[in-house]
Amino acid sequence: MRRRMVSVIGAALLLGVGSVPAGARQEAAPANGLAELGLPEIEVAITAEAYEGIPESIEAGRYLITVTADESLEFGGGISFIRPEGVTAEEFLGALAGPPEGDGSESAATPGPEAEGTPAEGSEGPGAPPPFVYDSLYAGGAFAGGGASAQAVVDLSPGEWIAWGDDPEATQEPVVVEVTGEMPSDLTEPESGATLTMSEYDIQVTAGELVAGEQVIKVENVGAQPHFLVLAKGPDDMTEAQVEVMLEEEMAAQMAGSEPEYSDLNPDEDFGEGPYTPSQSNGTATWHPVDLEAGTYVMACFFPDVTDGAPHTAKGMYTVIEVAA
Ligand SMILES: [Cu+2]
């Protein structure tokens, strides 16, 4: 996992999802049955600066998204869809742009003046992001490692959407996509081997099971807030107590503006490959082909909480799970 996995702390980030662990990447989109569903497709090439291949206007529907991240992208690249509510796409994009570069606020231990909201009493967080962050609709997306491809099935309903990197630190220019017409009533549910259900503050496998090798996972959010999913492979004997210590050490360092000192698990050394699925709102589902190794994984969400902006991991949103051989 990359350092600063809880970089939302102290940074004037709206969404704070910028710290996807480096190990949490899929190397390639495995073969799967998604292409045979006959869904409309969007293929996106991701470079350091831009997305290529996103139409300006599409019909509402269930899409198979394929992203390919340029090999120059050390930490990979992805695309995630937001339909702003209460603000225009332009205002949302302005907010996403955040503070100007080089003003030091990115590494500040305390929120700069750009950070809106007020920290809740006794809270560890940097202050709650503005309400539109939670009112807007997050449909999910796909994320690929550098030089690799990944796929996701995502529902895009009518409206004005923003396609972006699911990360305020993403360097790609977001794109506005107009989605027209009506959502088809006869959507096909892709077959999946496991359903991962996110809520406050929990992630569980609620149907099927995670197994080694290629399978399609369904990711759904039944909670009130948006959530995303990092799946990272740790040591075989990893426990949730160990993960808690690691996250607390990471958070303490972030608050102090210092480098973390890990007493046990080290996110830079002890974690390997795993997929990342971008932010989703209540009521949404996405499907992702994954290719997991057998072992012990942590599933986690770092979305900033509505009450205080602290990452959801600080509220206990992580689960250690076995992937069967
Ligand atoms: Cu969450």
Side-chain angles (χ1 to χ4, degrees):
M1 283 197 217
R2 184 170 133 205
R3 273 282 158 80
R4 300 182 67 239
M5 51 194 289
V6 288
S7 74
V8 286
I9 304 297
L13 303 180
L14 272 179
L15 304 181
V17 295
S19 303
V20 181
R25 302 289 150 75
Q26 255 182 277
E27 288 306 308
N32 58 76
L34 298 179
E36 281 75 60
L37 293 173
L39 300 173
E41 298 193 30
I42 301 175
E43 291 185 23
V44 184
I46 304 175
T47 65
E49 300 82 31
Y51 299 112
E52 290 161 23
I54 303 176
E56 284 178 18
S57 177
I58 56 174
E59 291 275 312
R62 176 164 288 172
Y63 281 84
L64 176 58
I65 313 287
T66 303
V67 298
T68 302
D70 191 82
E71 57 188 21
S72 66
L73 294 169
E74 183 187 357
F75 296 110
I79 195 163
S80 172
F81 293 90
I82 301 178
R83 197 183 70 196
E85 296 292 336
V87 291
T88 64
E90 199 170 308
E91 287 165 341
F92 202 112
L93 288 171
L96 289 181
E101 275 182 40
D103 68 355
S105 66
E106 277 186 323
S107 56
T110 51
E114 302 85 1
E116 297 185 37
T118 313
E121 192 88 7
S123 131
E124 299 173 288
F132 71 79
V133 167
Y134 301 91
D135 295 340
S136 297
L137 179 63
Y138 297 71
F143 193 98
S149 295
Q151 289 185 310
V153 172
V154 172
D155 288 346
L156 294 173
S157 53
E160 192 177 40
W161 291 80
I162 296 169
W164 77 304
D166 210 40
D167 176 356
E169 294 178 13
T171 52
Q172 293 83 18
E173 181 76 18
V175 175
V176 174
V177 184
E178 198 69 40
V179 179
T180 61
E182 282 180 31
M183 206 62 188
S185 55
D186 57 344
L187 294 173
T188 307
E189 164 119 7
E191 276 185 37
S192 53
T195 299
L196 280 60
T197 304
M198 307 183 289
S199 59
E200 287 83 34
Y201 295 96
D202 198 17
I203 307 172
Q204 294 293 336
V205 175
T206 53
E209 64 169 336
L210 291 174
V211 295
E214 294 178 3
Q215 74 178 150
V216 173
I217 59 169
K218 178 180 181 179
V219 179
E220 63 179 12
N221 182 359
V222 300
Q225 298 183 48
H227 299 290
F228 63 88
L229 176 68
V230 170
L231 197 51
K233 187 175 185 298
D236 287 344
D237 57 355
M238 175 172 65
T239 65
E240 273 173 22
Q242 285 181 293
V243 173
E244 181 179 6
V245 168
M246 177 184 76
L247 291 168
E248 282 174 355
E249 289 169 348
E250 183 98 41
M251 186 111 133
Q254 192 83 33
M255 295 299 279
S258 59
E259 287 295 303
E261 285 179 32
Y262 298 105
S263 59
D264 185 6
L265 289 183
N266 181 330
D268 294 329
E269 295 169 4
D270 294 321
F271 288 83
E273 297 300 311
Y276 161 65
T277 71
S279 304
Q280 291 178 224
S281 294
N282 169 269
T284 63
T286 56
W287 292 262
H288 305 259
V290 300
D291 188 1
L292 301 174
E293 285 176 35
T296 307
Y297 286 71
V298 60
M299 305 189 285
C301 169
F302 297 86
F303 201 94
D305 195 68
V306 68
T307 61
D308 58 10
H312 284 167
T313 44
K315 317 287 183 191
M317 193 162 176
Y318 52 89
T319 305
V320 169
I321 189 165
E322 294 295 320
V323 173

